[in-house]
Amino acid sequence: MLVIKIANEVDAGMASYVERAVAEAEKDHAVILLHVNTLGGALDAAIKIRDAILNAKVPLTIAFIDKRAISAGSLTSLAAKKI
């Protein structure tokens, strides 16, 4: 299982981090766990993260919402197969 933290502000740097982490997970992991605690951020970054999660070639994606998944955090969480 690979844990990806979605915390603080969602921005372009976080989108790049998530895209790299998903690529790594596709090689070696069966599960991606998104640990989400964010008030949101940039919509374009959230869309990139959502697309990376939706298109991930792993059997299971899970979003664990730890306190907050507001705005961009909600969009990201909804991309997972399970919340």
Side-chain angles (χ1 to χ4, degrees):
M1 176 186 317
L2 179 72
V3 177
I4 300 174
K5 289 195 174 216
I6 307 293
N8 303 316
E9 186 174 349
V10 175
D11 59 13
M14 183 178 294
S16 295
Y17 157 69
V18 172
E19 289 171 334
R20 287 191 311 272
V22 167
E24 177 187 325
E26 290 176 336
K27 296 176 192 171
D28 299 327
H29 301 279
V31 177
I32 294 174
L33 174 68
L34 302 171
H35 185 159
V36 182
N37 186 9
T38 181
L39 295 173
L43 180 59
D44 59 333
I47 291 170
K48 287 182 179 183
I49 293 169
R50 181 210 56 196
D51 290 347
I53 299 302
L54 282 174
N55 296 321
K57 296 191 177 28
V58 297
L60 183 59
T61 53
I62 303 168
F64 166 65
I65 299 172
D66 183 9
K67 296 184 182 99
R68 296 174 183 88
I70 299 170
S71 188
S74 297
L75 183 63
T76 299
S77 298
L78 289 170
K81 292 178 183 167
K82 295 192 181 259
I83 297 176

